[in-house]
Coordinates of all heavy atoms in Angstrom, one line a residue:
Q11 N -1.2 -1.0 19.1 CA -1.7 -0.6 17.7 C -1.5 -1.8 16.7 O -0.4 -2.3 16.5 CB -1.1 0.7 17.4 CG -1.7 1.1 16.0 CD -1.0 2.4 15.7 OE1 -0.3 3.1 16.5 NE2 -1.3 2.9 14.5
Y12 N -2.6 -2.2 16.2 CA -2.4 -3.3 15.2 C -1.8 -2.8 13.8 O -2.0 -1.7 13.4 CB -3.7 -3.9 14.8 CG -3.7 -5.1 13.9 CD1 -3.2 -6.4 14.4 CD2 -4.1 -5.1 12.6 CE1 -3.0 -7.4 13.6 CE2 -4.0 -6.2 11.7 CZ -3.5 -7.3 12.3 OH -3.3 -8.4 11.5
Q13 N -0.8 -3.6 13.3 CA -0.2 -3.2 12.1 C -0.8 -4.1 10.9 O -1.0 -5.2 11.0 CB 1.3 -3.6 12.1 CG 1.9 -3.0 13.3 CD 2.3 -1.4 13.1 OE1 3.2 -1.2 12.2 NE2 1.8 -0.7 13.8
Y14 N -1.1 -3.4 9.8 CA -1.6 -4.0 8.5 C -0.6 -4.1 7.6 O 0.5 -3.5 7.5 CB -2.8 -3.1 8.1 CG -4.0 -3.0 9.0 CD1 -4.1 -2.1 10.0 CD2 -4.9 -4.0 9.0 CE1 -5.1 -1.9 10.8 CE2 -6.0 -3.9 10.0 CZ -6.2 -2.9 10.9 OH -7.1 -2.9 11.8
T15 N -0.9 -5.0 6.5 CA 0.1 -5.1 5.4 C -0.7 -4.8 4.1 O -1.9 -4.5 4.1 CB 0.5 -6.7 5.5 OG1 -0.6 -7.5 5.2 CG2 1.2 -7.1 6.7
I16 N 0.1 -5.0 3.0 CA -0.4 -4.8 1.7 C -1.7 -5.7 1.4 O -2.7 -5.2 0.8 CB 0.7 -5.2 0.6 CG1 1.8 -4.2 0.7 CG2 0.1 -5.3 -0.8 CD1 1.4 -2.8 0.0
K17 N -1.8 -6.8 2.0 CA -2.9 -7.7 1.7 C -4.2 -7.1 2.3 O -5.2 -7.1 1.8 CB -2.7 -9.1 2.3 CG -1.9 -9.9 1.4 CD -1.7 -11.4 1.9 CE -0.8 -12.1 1.0 NZ -0.4 -13.4 1.4
D18 N -4.1 -6.4 3.4 CA -5.2 -5.8 4.1 C -5.6 -4.5 3.3 O -6.8 -4.2 3.1 CB -4.8 -5.3 5.6 CG -4.4 -6.4 6.5 OD1 -5.3 -7.4 6.6 OD2 -3.3 -6.5 7.1
L19 N -4.6 -3.8 2.8 CA -4.9 -2.7 1.9 C -5.6 -3.1 0.7 O -6.7 -2.6 0.3 CB -3.7 -2.0 1.5 CG -3.7 -0.9 0.5 CD1 -4.7 0.2 1.0 CD2 -2.3 -0.3 0.2
L20 N -5.2 -4.2 0.1 CA -5.8 -4.8 -1.2 C -7.2 -5.1 -0.9 O -8.2 -4.9 -1.6 CB -5.1 -6.0 -1.6 CG -5.3 -6.4 -2.9 CD1 -5.0 -5.4 -4.0 CD2 -4.4 -7.7 -3.2
K21 N -7.5 -5.8 0.2 CA -8.9 -6.1 0.6 C -9.8 -5.0 0.8 O -10.9 -4.9 0.3 CB -8.9 -7.0 2.0 CG -10.0 -7.6 2.3 CD -9.8 -8.6 3.4 CE -10.9 -8.7 4.3 NZ -10.8 -9.3 5.6
A22 N -9.2 -3.9 1.5 CA -10.0 -2.6 1.7 C -10.2 -1.9 0.3 O -11.4 -1.5 0.1 CB -9.3 -1.7 2.6
L23 N -9.4 -1.9 -0.6 CA -9.5 -1.4 -1.9 C -10.7 -2.2 -2.6 O -11.6 -1.5 -3.3 CB -8.4 -1.2 -2.7 CG -7.3 -0.2 -2.3 CD1 -5.9 -0.6 -2.8 CD2 -7.6 1.1 -2.6
Q24 N -10.6 -3.4 -2.7 CA -11.5 -4.3 -3.3 C -12.9 -4.1 -2.7 O -13.9 -4.3 -3.4 CB -11.1 -5.7 -3.3 CG -9.9 -5.8 -4.3 CD -9.2 -7.2 -4.1 OE1 -9.4 -8.0 -3.2 NE2 -8.3 -7.5 -5.0
E25 N -13.0 -4.1 -1.4 CA -14.3 -3.9 -0.7 C -15.0 -2.6 -1.2 O -16.3 -2.5 -1.1 CB -14.2 -3.8 0.8 CG -14.0 -5.2 1.3 CD -13.6 -5.2 2.8 OE1 -13.6 -4.1 3.4 OE2 -13.4 -6.3 3.4
K26 N -14.2 -1.6 -1.6 CA -14.9 -0.3 -2.1 C -15.2 -0.3 -3.6 O -15.6 0.6 -4.2 CB -13.9 0.8 -1.9 CG -13.8 1.2 -0.3 CD -15.1 1.8 0.2 CE -15.0 2.2 1.6 NZ -16.2 2.8 2.0
G27 N -14.9 -1.6 -4.1 CA -15.3 -1.7 -5.6 C -14.2 -1.5 -6.7 O -14.5 -1.6 -7.7
L28 N -13.0 -1.3 -6.0 CA -11.9 -1.0 -7.0 C -11.3 -2.4 -7.4 O -10.9 -3.2 -6.4 CB -10.8 -0.2 -6.3 CG -11.2 1.2 -5.9 CD1 -10.2 1.9 -5.1 CD2 -11.4 2.0 -7.2
K29 N -11.1 -2.6 -8.6 CA -10.7 -4.0 -9.1 C -9.1 -3.8 -9.3 O -8.6 -3.4 -10.4 CB -11.3 -4.3 -10.4 CG -12.8 -4.6 -10.2 CD -13.4 -5.0 -11.5 CE -14.8 -5.5 -11.4 NZ -15.6 -5.3 -10.4
V30 N -8.4 -4.0 -8.2 CA -6.9 -3.9 -8.2 C -6.2 -5.1 -7.7 O -7.0 -5.9 -7.1 CB -6.6 -2.7 -7.4 CG1 -7.0 -1.3 -7.8 CG2 -6.9 -2.8 -5.8
S31 N -5.0 -5.3 -8.0 CA -4.2 -6.3 -7.6 C -2.9 -5.9 -6.8 O -2.7 -4.8 -6.8 CB -3.8 -7.2 -8.7 OG -2.9 -6.4 -9.6
Q32 N -2.2 -6.8 -6.3 CA -0.9 -6.4 -5.7 C 0.1 -5.8 -6.7 O 0.7 -4.8 -6.3 CB -0.3 -7.7 -5.0 CG -0.7 -8.1 -3.6 CD 0.2 -9.0 -3.0 OE1 0.7 -9.9 -3.6 NE2 0.2 -8.9 -1.6
M33 N -0.1 -6.3 -7.9 CA 0.8 -5.6 -8.9 C 0.5 -4.3 -9.2 O 1.3 -3.4 -9.4 CB 0.5 -6.4 -10.3 CG 1.8 -6.4 -11.2 SD 3.3 -7.0 -10.4 CE 4.5 -5.8 -11.0
W34 N -0.9 -3.9 -9.1 CA -1.3 -2.5 -9.2 C -0.6 -1.6 -8.1 O -0.2 -0.5 -8.4 CB -2.8 -2.5 -9.3 CG -3.3 -1.0 -9.3 CD1 -3.6 -0.3 -10.6 CD2 -3.7 -0.1 -8.2 NE1 -4.1 0.9 -10.2 CE2 -4.0 1.0 -8.8 CE3 -3.6 -0.2 -6.9 CZ2 -4.5 2.2 -8.0 CZ3 -4.1 0.8 -6.1 CH2 -4.5 2.1 -6.6
I35 N -0.7 -2.1 -6.9 CA -0.1 -1.4 -5.8 C 1.4 -1.1 -6.0 O 1.9 -0.2 -5.9 CB -0.4 -2.1 -4.4 CG1 -1.8 -2.1 -4.1 CG2 0.4 -1.6 -3.3 CD1 -2.3 -3.0 -3.0
Y36 N 2.0 -2.2 -6.5 CA 3.6 -2.1 -6.7 C 3.8 -1.1 -7.9 O 4.8 -0.3 -7.9 CB 4.2 -3.4 -7.0 CG 4.2 -4.3 -5.8 CD1 3.6 -5.6 -5.9 CD2 4.7 -3.9 -4.6 CE1 3.7 -6.4 -4.8 CE2 4.8 -4.7 -3.6 CZ 4.2 -6.0 -3.6 OH 4.2 -6.8 -2.6
R37 N 2.9 -1.1 -9.0 CA 3.1 -0.1 -10.0 C 2.9 1.2 -9.5 O 3.6 2.2 -9.9 CB 2.0 -0.5 -11.1 CG 2.7 -1.5 -12.2 CD 1.9 -1.5 -13.5 NE 0.5 -1.6 -13.3 CZ -0.2 -2.7 -13.2 NH1 0.4 -3.9 -13.4 NH2 -1.5 -2.7 -13.2
Q38 N 1.8 1.5 -8.6 CA 1.6 2.9 -8.1 C 2.8 3.3 -7.3 O 3.2 4.5 -7.4 CB 0.4 2.8 -7.2 CG -0.8 2.5 -8.0 CD -1.1 3.5 -9.1 OE1 -1.0 4.6 -9.1 NE2 -1.5 2.8 -10.3
E39 N 3.5 2.3 -6.6 CA 4.7 2.7 -5.8 C 5.8 3.1 -6.8 O 6.6 4.1 -6.6 CB 5.2 1.6 -4.9 CG 4.3 1.4 -3.7 CD 4.9 0.4 -2.7 OE1 5.1 -0.8 -3.1 OE2 5.3 0.8 -1.7
T40 N 6.0 2.4 -7.8 CA 7.1 2.5 -8.8 C 6.8 3.9 -9.5 O 7.8 4.7 -9.8 CB 7.0 1.5 -9.9 OG1 7.3 0.3 -9.2 CG2 8.2 1.6 -10.9
K41 N 5.6 4.2 -9.9 CA 5.3 5.6 -10.4 C 5.4 6.8 -9.5 O 5.5 7.9 -9.9 CB 3.8 5.6 -10.9 CG 3.6 4.6 -12.2 CD 2.1 4.7 -12.5 CE 1.6 3.8 -13.5 NZ 0.1 4.0 -13.7
G42 N 5.4 6.5 -8.1 CA 5.5 7.5 -7.2 C 4.2 8.0 -6.8 O 4.1 9.1 -6.0
N43 N 3.1 7.4 -7.1 CA 1.7 7.7 -6.7 C 1.4 7.3 -5.3 O 0.5 7.8 -4.7 CB 0.7 7.3 -7.6 CG 0.9 7.9 -9.0 OD1 1.3 9.0 -9.1 ND2 0.3 7.2 -10.0
L44 N 2.1 6.2 -4.9 CA 1.7 5.7 -3.5 C 3.1 5.4 -2.8 O 4.0 4.7 -3.2 CB 1.0 4.3 -3.7 CG 0.6 3.5 -2.5 CD1 -0.4 4.4 -1.7 CD2 -0.1 2.2 -3.0
I45 N 3.3 6.2 -1.7 CA 4.5 6.1 -1.0 C 4.1 5.6 0.4 O 3.4 6.3 1.2 CB 5.1 7.4 -0.9 CG1 5.5 7.9 -2.3 CG2 6.4 7.3 0.0 CD1 5.9 9.3 -2.4
L46 N 4.5 4.3 0.8 CA 4.1 3.7 2.0 C 5.3 3.5 2.8 O 6.5 3.4 2.5 CB 3.7 2.2 1.5 CG 2.4 2.3 0.7 CD1 2.1 0.7 0.4 CD2 1.1 2.9 1.3
P47 N 5.0 3.5 4.2 CA 6.2 3.2 5.2 C 6.6 1.8 5.0 O 5.8 0.9 4.8 CB 5.5 3.5 6.5 CG 4.0 3.3 6.3 CD 3.7 3.7 4.9
K48 N 7.8 1.6 5.2 CA 8.4 0.2 5.1 C 9.1 -0.2 6.4 O 9.6 0.7 7.0 CB 9.5 0.1 3.9 CG 8.8 0.4 2.5 CD 9.7 0.4 1.5 CE 9.1 0.6 0.1 NZ 9.5 1.7 -0.7
S49 N 9.0 -1.4 6.7 CA 9.6 -1.9 8.0 C 11.0 -1.8 7.9 O 11.6 -2.1 6.9 CB 9.1 -3.3 8.2 OG 9.9 -3.9 9.3
T50 N 11.7 -1.5 9.1 CA 13.1 -1.3 9.1 C 13.7 -2.7 9.4 O 14.9 -2.9 9.3 CB 13.5 -0.3 10.1 OG1 12.9 -0.6 11.3 CG2 13.1 1.1 9.6
T51 N 12.8 -3.6 10.0 CA 13.4 -5.0 10.6 C 12.9 -6.1 9.7 O 13.4 -7.2 9.9 CB 13.1 -5.0 12.0 OG1 11.6 -4.9 12.1 CG2 13.8 -4.0 12.9
N52 N 11.7 -6.0 9.0 CA 11.0 -7.1 8.5 C 11.2 -7.1 7.0 O 10.6 -6.2 6.3 CB 9.5 -7.0 8.8 CG 8.9 -8.4 8.4 OD1 9.5 -9.3 7.9 ND2 7.6 -8.4 8.8
F53 N 12.0 -8.0 6.4 CA 12.3 -8.0 5.0 C 11.8 -9.4 4.4 O 11.8 -10.4 5.0 CB 13.8 -7.9 4.7 CG 14.3 -6.6 5.0 CD1 14.7 -6.2 6.2 CD2 14.3 -5.6 4.0 CE1 15.1 -4.9 6.6 CE2 14.8 -4.3 4.3 CZ 15.1 -4.0 5.5
K54 N 11.3 -9.3 3.1 CA 10.8 -10.5 2.5 C 11.9 -10.9 1.4 O 12.5 -10.1 0.7 CB 9.6 -10.2 1.7 CG 8.4 -10.4 2.5 CD 7.1 -10.3 1.7 CE 5.8 -10.7 2.5 NZ 4.7 -10.4 1.7
K55 N 12.0 -12.2 1.2 CA 12.8 -12.7 0.1 C 12.1 -12.5 -1.2 O 10.9 -12.7 -1.3 CB 13.1 -14.2 0.3 CG 14.1 -14.5 1.2 CD 14.4 -16.0 1.3 CE 15.1 -16.5 2.5 NZ 15.2 -17.9 2.6
A56 N 12.8 -12.1 -2.2 CA 12.2 -12.0 -3.5 C 12.0 -13.2 -4.2 O 12.8 -14.1 -4.1 CB 13.0 -10.9 -4.3
R57 N 10.8 -13.2 -5.0 CA 10.6 -14.5 -5.9 C 10.6 -13.9 -7.2 O 9.9 -12.9 -7.6 CB 9.4 -15.2 -5.4 CG 9.4 -15.8 -4.2 CD 8.3 -16.8 -3.9 NE 7.1 -16.4 -4.3 CZ 6.1 -16.2 -3.6 NH1 6.2 -16.3 -2.2 NH2 4.8 -15.8 -4.0
G58 N 11.0 -14.7 -8.2 CA 11.1 -14.3 -9.6 C 12.0 -13.1 -9.9 O 13.1 -13.2 -9.5
D59 N 11.4 -12.0 -10.6 CA 12.3 -11.0 -11.0 C 12.5 -9.8 -10.0 O 13.3 -9.0 -10.1 CB 11.7 -10.3 -12.3 CG 11.7 -11.2 -13.4 OD1 12.5 -12.2 -13.4 OD2 10.8 -11.2 -14.4
R60 N 11.7 -9.8 -9.0 CA 11.6 -8.8 -8.0 C 12.9 -8.8 -7.1 O 13.4 -9.9 -6.7 CB 10.4 -8.8 -7.2 CG 9.2 -8.1 -7.9 CD 8.1 -7.9 -6.8 NE 7.0 -8.9 -7.2 CZ 6.3 -9.5 -6.2 NH1 6.5 -9.1 -5.0 NH2 5.4 -10.3 -6.6
K61 N 13.2 -7.6 -6.6 CA 14.3 -7.5 -5.7 C 13.7 -7.8 -4.3 O 12.5 -7.5 -4.0 CB 14.9 -6.1 -5.7 CG 15.5 -5.8 -6.9 CD 16.3 -4.5 -6.8 CE 16.3 -3.7 -8.2 NZ 15.4 -2.7 -8.4
A62 N 14.5 -8.3 -3.3 CA 14.1 -8.3 -1.9 C 13.7 -7.0 -1.4 O 14.3 -6.0 -1.8 CB 15.2 -9.0 -1.1
G63 N 12.7 -7.0 -0.6 CA 12.3 -5.6 -0.2 C 11.6 -5.6 1.2 O 11.4 -6.7 1.8
A64 N 11.5 -4.5 1.8 CA 11.0 -4.4 3.2 C 9.3 -4.5 3.2 O 8.7 -4.2 2.2 CB 11.3 -3.0 3.7
V65 N 8.9 -5.2 4.1 CA 7.4 -5.4 4.3 C 6.8 -4.0 4.6 O 7.3 -3.3 5.3 CB 7.1 -6.3 5.3 CG1 5.6 -6.4 5.6 CG2 7.7 -7.7 5.1
R66 N 5.7 -3.7 3.9 CA 5.0 -2.4 4.2 C 4.1 -2.6 5.4 O 3.4 -3.5 5.6 CB 4.1 -2.1 3.0 CG 4.6 -1.4 1.8 CD 5.7 -2.2 1.3 NE 6.2 -1.7 0.0 CZ 7.1 -2.3 -0.7 NH1 7.6 -3.4 -0.3 NH2 7.5 -2.0 -1.9
I67 N 4.2 -1.7 6.3 CA 3.6 -1.6 7.6 C 2.6 -0.5 7.6 O 3.0 0.6 7.4 CB 4.5 -1.4 8.7 CG1 5.6 -2.5 8.7 CG2 3.9 -1.5 10.1 CD1 5.3 -3.8 9.3
L68 N 1.3 -0.6 7.7 CA 0.3 0.3 7.7 C -0.6 0.3 8.9 O -0.8 -0.7 9.5 CB -0.6 0.1 6.5 CG 0.2 -0.1 5.1 CD1 -0.8 -0.6 4.0 CD2 0.6 1.3 4.7
T69 N -1.1 1.5 9.2 CA -2.1 1.6 10.3 C -3.5 1.6 9.6 O -3.6 1.9 8.4 CB -1.9 3.0 11.1 OG1 -2.1 3.9 10.2 CG2 -0.5 3.1 11.7
G70 N -4.5 1.4 10.4 CA -5.9 1.5 9.9 C -6.2 2.8 9.3 O -7.0 2.9 8.2
Q71 N -5.7 3.9 10.0 CA -6.0 5.2 9.4 C -5.3 5.4 8.0 O -5.9 6.0 7.1 CB -5.5 6.3 10.4 CG -5.8 7.7 10.0 CD -7.3 8.0 9.8 OE1 -8.1 7.7 10.7 NE2 -7.7 8.6 8.7
Q72 N -4.2 4.8 7.9 CA -3.4 5.1 6.6 C -4.2 4.2 5.5 O -4.3 4.8 4.4 CB -2.0 4.5 6.7 CG -1.0 5.4 7.5 CD 0.3 4.8 7.8 OE1 0.4 3.6 8.0 NE2 1.2 5.7 7.9
I73 N -4.7 3.0 5.8 CA -5.5 2.3 4.8 C -6.7 3.1 4.4 O -7.0 3.2 3.3 CB -5.8 0.9 5.4 CG1 -4.6 0.0 5.4 CG2 -6.9 0.3 4.5 CD1 -4.7 -1.4 5.9
H74 N -7.4 3.7 5.4 CA -8.6 4.4 5.2 C -8.2 5.6 4.2 O -8.9 5.9 3.2 CB -9.1 5.0 6.4 CG -10.3 5.9 6.3 ND1 -10.8 6.5 5.2 CD2 -11.1 6.3 7.3 CE1 -11.8 7.2 5.4 NE2 -12.1 7.2 6.6
D75 N -7.1 6.3 4.5 CA -6.7 7.5 3.8 C -6.2 7.1 2.3 O -6.6 7.8 1.3 CB -5.5 8.2 4.3 CG -5.9 8.9 5.7 OD1 -7.1 9.1 5.9 OD2 -5.0 9.2 6.5
I76 N -5.7 6.0 2.2 CA -5.2 5.4 0.8 C -6.5 5.1 0.0 O -6.5 5.5 -1.2 CB -4.3 4.2 1.0 CG1 -3.0 4.7 1.6 CG2 -4.1 3.6 -0.4 CD1 -2.1 3.6 2.1
V77 N -7.4 4.4 0.7 CA -8.6 4.1 -0.2 C -9.3 5.3 -0.6 O -9.7 5.4 -1.8 CB -9.6 3.2 0.7 CG1 -10.9 3.0 0.1 CG2 -9.0 1.8 1.0
N78 N -9.5 6.2 0.3 CA -10.2 7.6 -0.2 C -9.3 8.3 -1.3 O -9.9 8.9 -2.3 CB -10.4 8.5 1.1 CG -11.4 8.0 1.9 OD1 -12.2 7.1 1.5 ND2 -11.3 8.5 3.1
A79 N -8.0 8.2 -1.2 CA -7.2 8.9 -2.3 C -7.3 8.3 -3.7 O -7.3 8.9 -4.7 CB -5.7 8.9 -1.8
F80 N -7.6 7.0 -3.7 CA -7.7 6.1 -5.0 C -9.1 5.9 -5.4 O -9.3 5.4 -6.5 CB -6.8 4.9 -4.9 CG -5.3 5.2 -5.0 CD1 -4.5 5.3 -3.8 CD2 -4.7 5.6 -6.2 CE1 -3.3 5.7 -3.9 CE2 -3.4 5.8 -6.3 CZ -2.6 5.9 -5.2
L81 N -10.1 6.3 -4.7 CA -11.5 6.2 -5.1 C -11.7 7.2 -6.2 O -11.0 8.2 -6.3 CB -12.4 6.5 -3.9 CG -12.7 5.3 -3.0 CD1 -13.5 5.8 -1.9 CD2 -13.3 4.1 -3.7
P82 N -12.6 7.0 -7.1 CA -13.0 8.0 -8.1 C -13.2 9.4 -7.4 O -14.0 9.5 -6.5 CB -14.3 7.5 -8.8 CG -14.1 6.0 -8.6 CD -13.5 5.8 -7.2
G83 N -12.6 10.4 -7.9 CA -12.8 11.8 -7.4 C -11.7 12.0 -6.3 O -11.5 13.1 -5.9
G84 N -10.9 11.0 -6.0 CA -9.8 11.2 -5.1 C -8.6 11.7 -5.9 O -8.6 12.0 -7.1
R85 N -7.5 12.0 -5.1 CA -6.2 12.7 -5.7 C -5.5 11.7 -6.5 O -4.8 12.0 -7.4 CB -5.4 13.2 -4.6 CG -6.0 14.4 -3.8 CD -5.0 15.0 -2.8 NE -4.1 14.1 -2.2 CZ -4.4 13.6 -1.0 NH1 -5.5 13.9 -0.4 NH2 -3.6 12.8 -0.3
G86 N -5.6 10.4 -6.2 CA -4.9 9.4 -6.9 C -3.4 9.4 -6.5 O -2.5 9.0 -7.3
Y87 N -3.1 10.0 -5.3 CA -1.8 10.0 -4.7 C -1.8 9.9 -3.3 O -2.7 10.5 -2.6 CB -1.2 11.4 -5.1 CG 0.2 11.7 -4.6 CD1 1.3 11.2 -5.1 CD2 0.2 12.5 -3.4 CE1 2.6 11.4 -4.4 CE2 1.5 12.7 -2.8 CZ 2.7 12.3 -3.4 OH 3.8 12.4 -2.8
Y88 N -0.8 9.2 -2.7 CA -0.8 9.1 -1.3 C 0.7 9.0 -0.7 O 1.4 8.2 -1.3 CB -1.6 8.0 -0.7 CG -1.4 7.8 0.8 CD1 -2.2 8.6 1.7 CD2 -0.5 7.0 1.4 CE1 -2.2 8.5 3.1 CE2 -0.3 6.8 2.8 CZ -1.1 7.6 3.6 OH -1.0 7.6 4.9
N89 N 1.2 9.8 0.1 CA 2.3 9.8 0.7 C 2.2 9.7 2.3 O 1.7 10.7 2.8 CB 3.2 11.0 0.3 CG 4.7 11.0 0.8 OD1 5.1 10.1 1.7 ND2 5.5 11.8 0.3
Y90 N 2.7 8.8 2.9 CA 2.5 8.7 4.3 C 3.3 9.8 5.1 O 2.8 10.2 6.3 CB 3.0 7.3 4.8 CG 4.4 7.1 5.1 CD1 5.0 7.2 6.3 CD2 5.2 6.9 3.9 CE1 6.4 7.2 6.4 CE2 6.6 6.6 4.1 CZ 7.1 6.9 5.3 OH 8.5 6.7 5.5
K91 N 4.2 10.4 4.5 CA 5.0 11.5 5.2 C 4.3 12.8 5.3 O 4.5 13.6 6.1 CB 6.3 11.7 4.5 CG 7.3 10.5 4.6 CD 8.5 10.8 3.8 CE 9.3 9.5 3.7 NZ 10.5 9.6 2.7
N92 N 3.3 13.0 4.4 CA 2.4 14.1 4.4 C 1.3 14.2 5.4 O 0.5 15.0 5.5 CB 1.8 14.4 3.1 CG 2.9 14.7 2.0 OD1 4.0 15.0 2.4 ND2 2.5 14.7 0.8
K93 N 1.3 13.0 6.3 CA 0.0 13.0 7.2 C 0.5 13.5 8.6 O 1.5 13.1 9.1 CB -0.5 11.5 7.3 CG -1.1 11.2 6.0 CD -2.4 12.0 5.8 CE -2.9 11.9 4.4 NZ -3.9 12.8 4.1

């Protein structure tokens, strides 16, 4: 099963016409609107003000569900644990 990252999620959101950035995704996570699975073994070094953090690992189905949740008329909330 192929594993996707935040960049793939960003591309999928932009293909549906949502003008979002990686910062938007991080803000949604901070607000608690977007809860994504994080890798237990793959960590990124932080640049700038951010703390080091785990890489987000997504499946194709999760990306599809997230895009639908944030499209107009969607819930605006996604938690991978509820699936």
Side-chain angles (χ1 to χ4, degrees):
Q11 179 180 355
Y12 186 71
Q13 303 283 296
Y14 296 94
T15 64
I16 289 287
K17 286 184 182 172
D18 299 306
L19 172 59
L20 196 58
K21 192 170 146 197
L23 288 164
Q24 289 170 348
E25 284 173 359
K26 289 291 185 179
L28 296 170
K29 292 183 179 7
V30 297
S31 64
Q32 275 193 328
M33 203 62 218
W34 179 87
I35 292 172
Y36 293 125
R37 273 198 309 272
Q38 295 306 313
E39 282 190 300
T40 304
K41 290 180 190 175
N43 293 338
L44 184 58
I45 299 167
L46 301 175
K48 295 176 177 127
S49 171
T50 54
T51 56
N52 192 357
F53 290 88
K54 274 189 170 172
K55 282 187 195 163
R57 293 199 314 247
D59 298 335
R60 276 194 256 143
K61 295 184 208 106
V65 174
R66 277 53 167 190
I67 304 275
L68 304 165
T69 64
Q71 183 61 47
Q72 287 171 327
I73 286 182
H74 177 348
D75 293 343
I76 293 166
V77 169
N78 286 340
F80 285 96
L81 282 174
R85 293 189 319 269
Y87 172 81
Y88 178 82
N89 184 344
Y90 78 98
K91 293 177 187 170
N92 294 345
K93 293 291 166 193

